[in-house]
Amino acid sequence: MTPLDTTSPLTLWYRQPANKWVEALPLGNGRLGAMVFGGVQQERIQLNEDTLWSGGPKDWNNPDAKAVLPEVRRAIADKDYVKADKLCQKMQGTFNQSYLPMGDLYLDFSQTEEYSNYYRDLSLNQGLATTRYIANGATYSREIFASFPDQVIVVRLTCDQPGRLSFTAQLNSLLRYTTDNNGDTLILKGKCPAHVEPSYRGEMANAIVYNDREGMTYEIHLRTITEGGTVTVDKDSIRVSNADTVTLFISAATSFNGFDKSPAREGRNPAEDAANYLNAAANQPYEILLQRHIEDHQRLFKRVEFKLDRELVDALPIDERLRRYASQDDTHLETLLFQYGRYLLIASSRPGTQPANLQGIWNEAVRPPWSSNWTININTQMNYWLAETTNLSECHEPLFDLIKGLSITGRKTSEINYGARGWVAHHNADLWRQSAPTGDFGSGNPVWANWAMGGAWLCQHLWEHFAFTGDISFLRDYACPIMKGAAEFCLDWLIEDENGYLVTEPSTSPEQMFKTPDGRSAAVTKAATMDMAVIWDLFTHYIATSEILGIDTDFADQLRSAQKRLLPYQIGARGQLQEWAEDLQEDEVQHRHISHIFGLHPGAQITPHTTPELINAVRQTLEIRGDVGTGWSLAWKINMWARLRDGNRAHLFIKRLLTLVEDTDVEMYNSGGVYLNLFDAHPPFQIDGNFGYTAGVAEMLLQSHSNVIDLLPALPAAWQSGTISGLRARGGFEIDLAWEHEHLVRADIKSLNGNRCRVRTEGRFIIQSDQGDLVQQTESSGVIEFETTQSRVYTLIQAKIET
């Protein structure tokens, strides 16, 4: 048997089963996730459901915080930063709850001993995992997919010889559970802990707590339909004997009924929901289910195509190519990883689901790294940088739901903790929309717990969705009230300093400490640069919203007045952009966070064309931070260097990010890469590096954040010729690009909304509409502008130079 798709540009394939979780292949429909190991003697399919979390809604706010706030500010004024740190701990609330693993499906083929011609793959184009091998003279195949239209996971087993399929299927879980059957269906009934301590708190008593008062319930339903053979359903297993073909249907549901309702006392009935999903799917032919799944998946995935002419798609599996990549270029791996990020977002974030968390929707641990929550001081935002630019706008919607929930819970936190208007969120969030500083009322480190700009930063995504789509209804009815609430909090949070500037106090630069004059480490000071940049960004977007909608002019005027008084950027003694209001020494020079250059990316306050005086300081900052980092930090630096229009430096971080990490039992902060299944390695696994990488590649090829469309702004020498189609630009444009010898030769710009188009070009171009009209001809490099008509395509073609 010859393996299929070994030279497909959109396939991850291997010659052996997965031995570790980060070698398994991910499937998902936004709500259900599966990790497929591809075993021969025993197949393991690890299962997740995106609302399966510990705990329930509770009061995480701290009424004492309001009284402590003036003490913190006095300590900062006295430059007693260590004291300010300790006082900030008195302002903290509870720790977050944890995202949990639902269970595992095991298929036991213990009669199979020797096998050959093994092959497993993941087709990004179809969202389909395949396993194939020869045993005892027969060819066995499995196909697995997670269907969004039908809300089930489907497993199809076939053999080229009749009557050769025999196995036992079992469900289990790391949580408390029982199994039973209702005739033809095996059912796992589970119960989640009422509380799970974050893994970073280490081994401790009562780290996992079950009780009758709280804790989500859930069910997994498994049904088997065969052609030929017999099926026996017991209390704890399904036995299939001598079948020709087998189809397994996996459905699941939880008692989650909203972030403000107890899943134990006010929850949904998971048995009813799981049964409904299963019954509807099992009544359809496998071929129809597969067709519906592929059509739905490709409706999103095929919007963007990316090809580099130097790609070498050879017949080697991914693991071998990763090991070779360190010494031999493989640009196909670079384009594959780009599309993998898009695939993972489609699989983990769909309308109506929860947003992708630190691990997307895939998690095998009861106490996963950092609770597998939403870390909103960079990681959650990075998950969604690719959504608009790579034409997956619908996949952005779950994040908006999270933001809306936080705007509700965060209003109480703002009033109770700070006596402020509006709403606030800090560095972590969970299913219950926790908005307070985490830390078990005094155990958290303020360097992460007491950062109060999470909500303000998240609002950038609301604006960006409008900027790309032009959806006025979304801006008016959804985004505007949430953005205003965040801006109200920021207005109240700002205070006037001794020089008349408005500053935040207390303030931290996320997760980075500084050295005090006496050599100690501290986190809390005033006016961390990131705070100022995020607030400037939010105020800018709400002012623009007011102008577009013609509303709320008085409040917009307040924001304009305050924005002019924000502490400006400061350049330090090393020529760097200062991280804090004072020129303080970083505790960790090569720290993974580069928060203080938010204004370059994902913000738009600092650009080479509008603020050249700050660009050198930003570049120096990145030089000081260095070229090492976690997987997601490397991805952020790709985006940063792309904004600096340095494609070769950005490509250096692509090379670093494609470093194979094979030790899965370590936690490191300066040696990120990817695992065998191309999951991003912090390490451990964090999916934001995958998403950030895809966003960074898009930034290298197309930018539109500075009110002009830049074509190929950071093209590296390694990508001399290529094409990409389907990228999106702000203003409502969809763009296809083709380049040769590092120069643009053609751009097709589709106007989605009929807006005026501004494009920066290098060289001479002719611009024609799809009706054959000559729109404009450029004589030199610069910005060109032209009117567009909705749905029309405008083509820029490199003009020939006559000699």
Side-chain angles (χ1 to χ4, degrees):
M1 178 188 66
T2 301
L4 300 178
D5 288 335
T6 58
T7 59
S8 168
L10 296 171
T11 300
L12 284 65
W13 76 274
Y14 306 82
R15 290 191 173 110
Q16 68 284 329
N19 291 316
K20 302 175 182 178
W21 190 81
V22 288
E23 297 175 8
L25 296 173
L27 297 170
N29 65 6
R31 184 178 70 88
L32 298 175
M35 294 291 285
V36 182
F37 283 68
V40 176
Q41 285 84 13
Q42 184 185 70
E43 171 67 287
R44 178 190 176 193
I45 303 173
Q46 189 265 318
L47 302 170
N48 288 103
E49 204 274 357
D50 72 337
T51 63
L52 195 74
W53 287 66
S54 61
K58 60 183 176 182
D59 186 3
W60 43 69
N61 297 314
N62 186 341
D64 296 334
K66 197 183 303 183
V68 176
L69 181 57
E71 298 181 52
V72 174
R73 287 174 171 165
R74 280 193 294 270
I76 294 170
D78 295 339
K79 299 187 183 300
D80 192 345
Y81 302 121
V82 174
K83 180 180 180 181
D85 282 6
K86 293 177 180 177
L87 287 168
C88 275
Q89 289 184 303
K90 297 181 179 181
M91 303 175 72
Q92 294 170 359
T94 63
F95 279 113
N96 282 124
Q97 291 304 317
S98 296
Y99 181 56
L100 300 173
M102 183 170 63
D104 292 273
L105 168 63
Y106 286 97
L107 305 179
D108 185 357
F109 305 90
S110 55
Q111 76 279 9
T112 304
E113 295 182 1
E114 307 226 349
Y115 62 93
S116 62
N117 291 62
Y118 181 89
Y119 171 83
R120 69 181 173 109
D121 75 15
L122 172 65
S123 167
L124 305 186
N125 186 49
Q126 295 182 314
L128 184 70
T130 300
T131 302
R132 191 179 301 109
Y133 55 88
I134 295 175
N136 301 319
T139 300
Y140 294 86
S141 300
R142 292 177 220 139
E143 291 181 340
I144 308 174
F145 61 91
S147 169
F148 178 72
D150 293 291
Q151 289 298 305
V152 291
I153 296 170
V154 182
V155 183
R156 177 77 158 184
L157 298 92
T158 60
C159 181
D160 66 351
Q161 296 183 20
R164 297 288 294 271
L165 290 172
S166 297
F167 61 90
T168 300
Q170 291 184 302
L171 293 168
N172 68 18
S173 177
L174 295 176
L175 308 177
R176 291 184 177 177
Y177 75 97
T178 61
T179 59
D180 205 343
N181 72 73
N182 67 352
D184 62 352
T185 304
L186 180 65
I187 298 174
L188 183 148
K189 300 180 179 182
K191 166 80 170 178
C192 295
H195 176 72
V196 172
E197 287 286 341
S199 60
Y200 50 79
R201 301 202 75 192
E203 296 299 322
M204 58 188 301
N206 298 318
I208 301 171
V209 177
Y210 288 89
N211 62 47
D212 295 332
R213 298 183 303 277
E214 194 54 280
M216 196 174 300
T217 59
Y218 67 98
E219 292 197 7
I220 308 173
H221 291 200
L222 175 66
R223 185 178 301 170
T224 301
I225 296 177
T226 68
E227 297 176 15
T230 61
V231 178
T232 304
V233 184
D234 295 325
K235 184 175 182 179
D236 61 356
S237 66
I238 296 177
R239 295 196 308 275
V240 175
S241 301
N242 307 120
D244 303 331
T245 300
V246 182
T247 306
L248 289 82
F249 300 89
I250 307 162
S251 71
T254 76
S255 62
F256 179 70
N257 196 26
F259 69 84
D260 56 350
K261 293 182 175 63
S262 165
R265 300 183 300 276
E266 306 168 275
R268 293 178 62 86
N269 180 354
E272 181 178 330
D273 290 340
N276 288 340
Y277 292 137
L278 185 67
N279 291 332
N283 285 327
Q284 299 184 63
Y286 172 78
E287 292 76 15
I288 297 299
L289 292 170
L290 178 62
Q291 180 183 353
R292 281 164 52 83
H293 158 70
I294 291 176
E295 288 176 352
D296 168 76
H297 176 77
Q298 292 185 342
R299 178 180 58 85
L300 297 170
F301 185 79
K302 294 186 77 170
R303 290 174 181 172
V304 173
E305 296 184 3
F306 181 25
K307 180 176 175 56
L308 297 172
D309 287 353
R310 289 175 58 189
E311 283 184 8
L312 173 64
V313 188
D314 55 21
L316 285 177
I318 293 297
D319 50 338
E320 294 181 31
R321 291 171 63 187
L322 281 170
R323 293 186 181 97
R324 186 185 65 178
Y325 182 77
S327 60
Q328 179 177 330
D329 289 342
D330 186 344
T331 54
H332 168 252
L333 273 180
E334 298 166 9
T335 60
L336 180 67
L337 192 63
F338 169 84
Q339 291 286 27
Y340 192 47
R342 297 183 66 251
Y343 166 85
L344 291 172
L345 190 64
I346 294 168
S348 63
S349 184
R350 291 292 200 101
T353 74
Q354 297 299 309
N357 61 47
L358 275 177
Q359 297 185 182
I361 52 171
W362 300 280
N363 168 42
E364 68 166 349
V366 177
R367 296 180 71 194
W370 302 286
S371 303
S372 192
N373 62 16
W374 292 289
T375 304
I376 56 176
N377 66 9
I378 172 61
N379 312 97
T380 301
Q381 289 89 338
M382 183 181 285
N383 282 1
Y384 285 91
W385 288 344
L386 78 159
E388 303 294 341
T389 56
T390 69
N391 216 332
L392 296 174
S393 189
E394 302 96 320
C395 297
H396 214 166
E397 292 180 21
L399 181 63
F400 307 152
D401 294 337
L402 173 68
I403 298 169
K404 186 173 184 178
L406 287 171
S407 75
I408 296 170
T409 59
R411 191 166 289 274
K412 292 183 179 179
T413 301
S414 177
E415 197 282 322
I416 293 171
N417 282 39
Y418 306 121
R421 298 173 297 161
W423 68 277
V424 63
H426 294 77
H427 100 291
N428 266 354
D430 60 18
L431 183 72
W432 314 110
R433 304 327 189 221
Q434 171 159 339
S435 50
T438 61
D440 197 24
F441 295 95
S443 299
N445 188 331
V447 77
W448 36 264
N450 290 85
W451 180 75
M453 292 291 108
W457 186 353
L458 285 171
C459 284
Q460 184 187 70
H461 286 262
L462 302 174
W463 171 261
E464 288 285 77
H465 182 66
F466 167 74
F468 277 90
T469 66
D471 188 340
I472 288 288
S473 296
F474 172 83
L475 182 67
R476 179 185 61 244
D477 302 331
Y478 199 101
C480 180
I482 297 173
M483 292 166 61
K484 180 175 182 178
E488 287 174 329
F489 170 78
C490 289
L491 278 181
D492 288 0
W493 188 236
L494 290 164
I495 63 172
E496 185 176 295
D497 73 357
E498 64 276 13
N499 297 312
Y501 289 116
L502 294 180
V503 298
T504 54
E505 189 181 277
S507 181
T508 64
S509 188
E511 305 191 31
Q512 171 71 298
M513 309 281 281
F514 58 84
K515 293 295 186 184
T516 63
D518 60 1
R520 294 183 292 173
S521 295
V524 177
T525 179
K526 73 171 184 179
T529 302
M530 186 189 209
D531 283 7
M532 298 293 97
V534 169
I535 292 172
W536 187 94
D537 191 81
L538 173 63
F539 285 4
T540 297
H541 293 156
Y542 192 80
I543 291 167
T545 298
S546 171
E547 293 172 349
I548 292 166
L549 299 178
I551 62 169
D552 213 9
T553 55
D554 290 345
F555 184 68
D557 286 341
Q558 292 179 49
L559 298 185
R560 287 189 185 91
S561 177
Q563 188 179 50
K564 293 175 183 177
R565 299 177 59 202
L566 293 176
L567 180 71
Y569 289 107
Q570 308 289 311
I571 297 177
R574 291 168 289 170
Q576 89 286 9
L577 197 69
Q578 287 183 192
E579 194 156 357
W580 300 274
E582 296 180 85
D583 194 3
L584 301 167
Q585 175 63 49
E586 311 95 324
D587 204 35
E588 188 178 337
V589 174
Q590 293 189 324
H591 196 273
R592 61 198 176 277
H593 284 257
I594 40 178
S595 307
H596 47 312
I597 49 177
F598 172 96
L600 176 71
H601 182 278
Q605 189 179 3
I606 300 173
T607 76
H609 294 95
T610 61
T611 56
E613 71 282 1
L614 294 175
I615 287 297
N616 287 337
V618 166
R619 184 180 294 270
Q620 177 67 0
T621 299
L622 285 170
E623 295 288 1
I624 292 171
R625 274 297 201 263
D627 294 345
V628 299
T630 60
W632 64 261
S633 181
L634 297 175
W636 196 356
K637 290 172 183 175
I638 294 171
N639 286 269
M640 291 290 193
W641 285 104
R643 288 280 175 95
L644 288 173
R645 308 175 74 84
D646 190 337
N648 289 333
R649 192 64 175 271
H651 191 258
L652 168 68
F653 289 97
I654 289 176
K655 299 280 288 185
R656 289 187 179 276
L657 192 59
L658 274 164
T659 299
L660 178 61
V661 176
E662 300 198 67
D663 187 348
T664 61
D665 298 320
V666 297
E667 181 177 316
M668 294 185 288
Y669 289 83
N670 59 1
S671 56
V674 294
Y675 294 112
L676 282 178
N677 65 357
L678 295 185
F679 269 176
D680 173 70
H682 176 294
F685 165 51
Q686 279 189 205
I687 204 167
D688 43 1
N690 290 104
F691 295 141
Y693 171 86
T694 300
V697 170
E699 286 288 329
M700 294 167 71
L701 300 175
L702 179 70
Q703 295 176 18
S704 60
H705 58 286
S706 59
N707 198 32
V708 62
I709 297 172
D710 274 301
L711 307 175
L712 306 180
L715 187 69
W719 298 352
Q720 289 196 0
S721 301
T723 59
I724 191 164
S725 61
L727 293 181
R728 289 283 179 94
R730 295 165 185 84
F733 299 98
E734 184 170 309
I735 298 176
D736 303 345
L737 301 172
W739 63 95
E740 295 176 1
H741 308 297
E742 299 181 57
H743 292 286
L744 180 72
V745 296
R746 180 186 176 108
D748 293 315
I749 301 175
K750 182 177 182 179
S751 177
L752 304 176
N753 299 329
N755 290 331
R756 185 173 180 81
C757 185
R758 303 180 73 242
V759 183
R760 181 176 284 112
T761 63
E762 294 186 8
R764 299 175 61 193
F765 284 87
I766 296 170
I767 306 174
Q768 293 179 320
S769 76
D770 54 9
Q771 303 297 309
D773 304 326
L774 177 64
V775 177
Q776 199 171 136
Q777 181 168 337
T778 68
E779 296 299 328
S780 61
S781 301
V783 176
I784 56 174
E785 300 186 37
F786 54 93
E787 300 295 337
T788 72
T789 301
Q790 187 175 16
S791 300
R792 296 274 292 273
V793 176
Y794 298 83
T795 299
L796 281 70
I797 304 175
Q798 189 176 43
K800 295 181 180 180
I801 300 176
E802 297 181 2
T803 59

